[in-house]
Amino acid sequence: MAQKPAIPKGTRDFLPSEVARRTYIFDTIKSVFKTYGFAPIETPSFELSTTLMGKYGEEGDRLIFRILNSGDKMKKADVEALNEGNLPRFANSLAEKALRYDLTVPFARFVVQHQNELSFPFKRYQIQPVWRADRPQHGRYQEFYQCDADVVGSDSLLYEVDFVQIFDQVLTRLQIPGFTMKINNRKILSGIAEVSGEADKLIDITVAIDKLDKIGEDGVVEELRQKGVSETAIATISPLFTITGSNEERLAQMKTFLSASEIGLKGIEELEFVLEQTKALGLERAEVEFDVTLARGLNYYTGAIFEVKVHDVKMGSICGGGRYDDLTGLFGLSGLSGVGISFGADRIYDVLNELDLYPSDADASLTLLFANFGQSEAAYCMRLSKLLRQKGVDCEVYPSDAKMQKQFKYADNRKVKFVALIGENELKEGKLQVKNMETGEQIAYTEAELLAFFTA
RNA sequence: GAGGUUGUAGCUCAGCUGGUUAGAGCGCCGGAUUGUGGUUCCGGAGGUCGCGGGUUCGAACCCCGUCUUCCUCCCCA
């Protein structure tokens, strides 16, 4: 071994026990999605650059992994653009393909492309990896799995209500003890910008107030100034920083604040509906909080905005989502409203590891190991294994007649539930020894009894 | 993309102002126990000190570059 092999930064390997835990997470999410009527689709891991570029804001483009053209296509490089200093155009000429950055934009592309094969409202879920050329940090990877559920072709707020239930169901089933679902509405943010007289600075304003809990009131004011927001506008916005009380009380205060803004009041109305319906349905573990400062960077959201954070753990949001009225419009099909959510599987995996929340059978391994006592005994065990496997029992025969100590140690490491000891004597007497590795108890069975025991 | 930080055995980490042959615990392998694991006891193997260059009589330690880790921004799952 000349040099130790390595994997790229921000990626990870998963051992069998780790994959078992991740499978448990994926299966939990899938089963809930399914009960709400979502069906799975898949899209390619990479898309045409033009499909992705420009869909995630200025910062987003920087974080998209580009795939270098190969072979003769390299000759298509736009050297002129390079000389002119137009790096984006030069990059586009070098890389016609890019790894997907999220699952929502490819889904919008998918819907437009297959519009005549789908019936609307179209509900799909999608669990696949995405890639971001971000600087890795705790809970931040360059390759990670998103678990998305979206519905397009309906502007019904009942779907927002469903998604709130889905967040609650999934995270409750995963045994996460406490988590808060923050909810806001982009129309309320538009209303704020409108009321302050800076409607054209909507993005700057929302990005700034989104940082309230991080940089504080003074920090937000400072950032607003830097972005060129007027002092009168800042003075108008400032009272929002100190809004408190229950969701109902906050909504009431916002209603007053936005009384002059039609779009703002529309946002309040939508949010009220979702919160009322949610209250009527009830929640298991989720706490719902209306947070005016919740903005979510994605600039395609137009209505509800969601974010979920786990209590008492140092981790960014584990889920996000929202409504986007015209995402498919970017690909030439307008008039379709969509709403969706995303579970960050890798962050959930990290949280569950940190809080040690896996059920004991999440990493269950082999059910039965046949100890190997030699050629003829092993041959008998192989026949018995085949019978058991046909009944769906997972089992295997130890590959060589090594010392019992070694065979048992192997069984122990593999977390095997039972070890069968079938040597010369057992075969002669027709008494097959089966040891329970947890209790240490050992029982002799006839072949028929053994088959019955494991297939019962 | 900006600034900082980390890297020593499979894992977690010691290693003094630069000074012989780089250590420990756990794990691994073997034995005590030739048909019984998870406990105990005894023994053993295992390291180009992330990589490349430089300074020095001498570098795990100092300098430069690079990769990686974690952190703060940016942004986000």
Side-chain angles (χ1 to χ4, degrees):
Chain A
M1 195 165 63
Q3 201 171 342
K4 272 188 183 175
I7 55 175
K9 68 178 171 186
T11 65
R12 6 182 216 181
D13 283 330
F14 299 105
L15 296 169
S17 62
E18 296 169 325
V19 170
R21 292 173 159 214
R22 292 169 67 80
T23 303
Y24 157 71
I25 294 170
F26 292 132
D27 286 350
T28 302
I29 294 171
K30 274 184 208 172
S31 66
V32 174
F33 282 170
K34 193 171 180 301
T35 62
Y36 280 79
F38 293 85
I41 68 157
E42 291 187 20
T43 65
S45 55
F46 54 97
E47 295 271 351
L48 295 174
S49 292
T50 51
T51 300
L52 305 181
M53 301 304 289
K55 306 296 192 299
Y56 308 102
E58 290 170 37
E59 287 301 318
D61 281 3
R62 200 193 77 213
L63 300 176
I64 292 173
F65 270 109
R66 318 296 301 265
I67 298 176
L68 192 61
N69 287 342
S70 44
D72 281 350
K73 283 190 169 179
M74 289 283 270
K75 292 177 185 161
K76 289 165 74 179
D78 190 341
V79 181
E80 208 173 286
L82 177 64
N83 291 334
E84 289 170 10
N86 188 339
L87 291 180
R89 205 174 93 208
F90 178 62
N92 285 336
S93 72
L94 275 179
E96 294 172 347
K97 299 179 286 289
L99 290 174
R100 68 169 162 244
Y101 175 90
D102 72 355
L103 300 177
T104 308
V105 168
F107 173 56
R109 190 226 83 222
F110 174 99
V111 168
V112 173
Q113 225 173 309
H114 299 280
Q115 53 185 285
N116 296 320
E117 302 157 71
L118 308 175
S119 65
F120 296 94
F122 178 61
K123 302 171 80 172
R124 79 85 171 83
Y125 78 81
Q126 189 171 355
I127 298 181
Q128 292 192 278
V130 302
W131 294 268
R132 293 184 189 178
D134 209 353
R135 183 165 295 203
Q137 264 179 61
H138 178 64
R140 182 176 294 210
Y141 303 95
Q142 293 207 329
E143 177 184 65
F144 60 97
Y145 273 77
Q146 288 194 325
C147 312
D148 279 30
D150 288 79
V151 42
V152 291
S154 167
D155 58 5
S156 170
L157 292 172
L158 290 179
Y159 288 121
E160 271 88 334
V161 177
D162 270 354
F163 284 128
V164 168
Q165 291 292 314
I166 291 174
F167 279 136
D168 184 48
Q169 289 291 312
V170 168
L171 300 176
T172 297
R173 283 199 200 182
L174 290 174
Q175 301 293 322
I176 294 175
F179 52 96
T180 295
M181 231 166 55
K182 292 189 173 188
I183 183 167
N184 193 9
N185 194 300
R186 196 72 185 217
K187 294 187 177 80
I188 293 176
L189 295 169
S190 296
I192 292 170
E194 194 175 288
V195 166
S196 72
E198 297 268 16
D200 56 322
K201 291 212 163 60
L202 171 64
I203 300 284
D204 288 336
I205 291 172
T206 53
V207 167
I209 64 178
D210 185 44
K211 295 177 189 164
L212 181 63
D213 59 345
K214 208 167 185 178
I215 59 178
E217 204 175 319
D218 296 342
V220 174
V221 169
E222 183 55 34
E223 177 151 340
L224 288 171
R225 276 203 192 104
Q226 274 179 12
K227 296 291 181 183
V229 176
S230 74
E231 289 300 325
T232 50
I234 291 174
T236 310
I237 294 169
S238 292
L240 296 180
F241 302 154
T242 51
I243 280 187
T244 53
S246 66
N247 289 335
E248 288 81 2
E249 288 164 348
R250 291 173 192 217
L251 276 168
Q253 291 172 70
M254 284 309 296
K255 211 179 273 185
T256 312
F257 182 88
L258 294 170
S259 55
S261 167
E262 190 183 333
I263 190 162
L265 290 175
K266 174 82 175 136
I268 296 282
E269 189 185 311
E270 290 183 9
L271 196 49
E272 261 176 345
F273 178 83
V274 175
L275 289 175
E276 276 166 18
Q277 295 281 312
T278 297
K279 202 163 197 174
L281 287 171
L283 291 167
E284 297 200 38
R285 291 195 185 175
E287 288 174 24
V288 181
E289 182 189 325
F290 164 41
D291 182 355
V292 213
T293 70
L294 175 64
R296 303 268 75 204
L298 288 178
N299 46 12
Y300 48 67
Y301 289 136
T302 54
I305 309 170
F306 305 112
E307 177 175 286
V308 180
K309 295 199 76 169
V310 178
H311 296 172
D312 306 319
V313 62
K314 195 169 175 282
M315 179 66 76
S317 57
I318 58 166
C319 306
R323 179 172 286 277
Y324 37 89
D325 277 335
D326 202 30
L327 195 61
T328 55
L330 295 168
F331 299 108
L333 178 63
S334 51
L336 275 187
S337 183
V339 56
I341 58 171
S342 179
F343 288 82
D346 285 80
R347 284 190 175 174
I348 292 174
Y349 171 72
D350 288 349
V351 167
L352 262 48
N353 275 330
E354 190 179 331
L355 301 178
D356 194 22
L357 295 175
Y358 293 96
S360 56
D361 59 345
D363 60 350
S365 172
L366 193 65
T367 302
L368 174 63
L369 175 75
F370 288 93
N372 188 324
F373 287 91
Q375 240 178 11
S376 56
E377 292 92 336
Y380 172 79
C381 293
M382 290 295 278
R383 285 196 296 277
L384 202 47
S385 299
K386 183 167 180 181
L387 287 175
L388 285 163
R389 286 167 180 156
Q390 282 169 344
K391 305 278 191 183
V393 179
D394 48 318
C395 56
E396 63 181 51
V397 180
Y398 194 84
S400 65
D401 60 345
K403 298 175 61 171
M404 271 313 107
Q405 187 178 198
K406 194 176 165 76
Q407 298 197 36
F408 266 93
K409 198 151 195 173
Y410 172 79
D412 203 37
N413 289 337
R414 283 283 305 271
K415 294 195 169 77
V416 176
K417 294 191 185 74
F418 297 93
V419 173
L421 297 137
I422 303 171
E424 203 181 337
N425 293 335
E426 283 78 9
L427 282 182
K428 207 184 298 170
E429 294 164 19
K431 284 290 184 186
L432 314 180
Q433 299 287 336
V434 175
K435 177 165 178 169
N436 180 322
M437 292 297 282
E438 274 168 43
T439 63
E441 184 185 26
Q442 193 164 313
I443 299 174
Y445 291 113
T446 64
E447 182 178 305
E449 283 168 348
L450 185 147
L451 286 168
F453 176 75
F454 283 104
T455 58

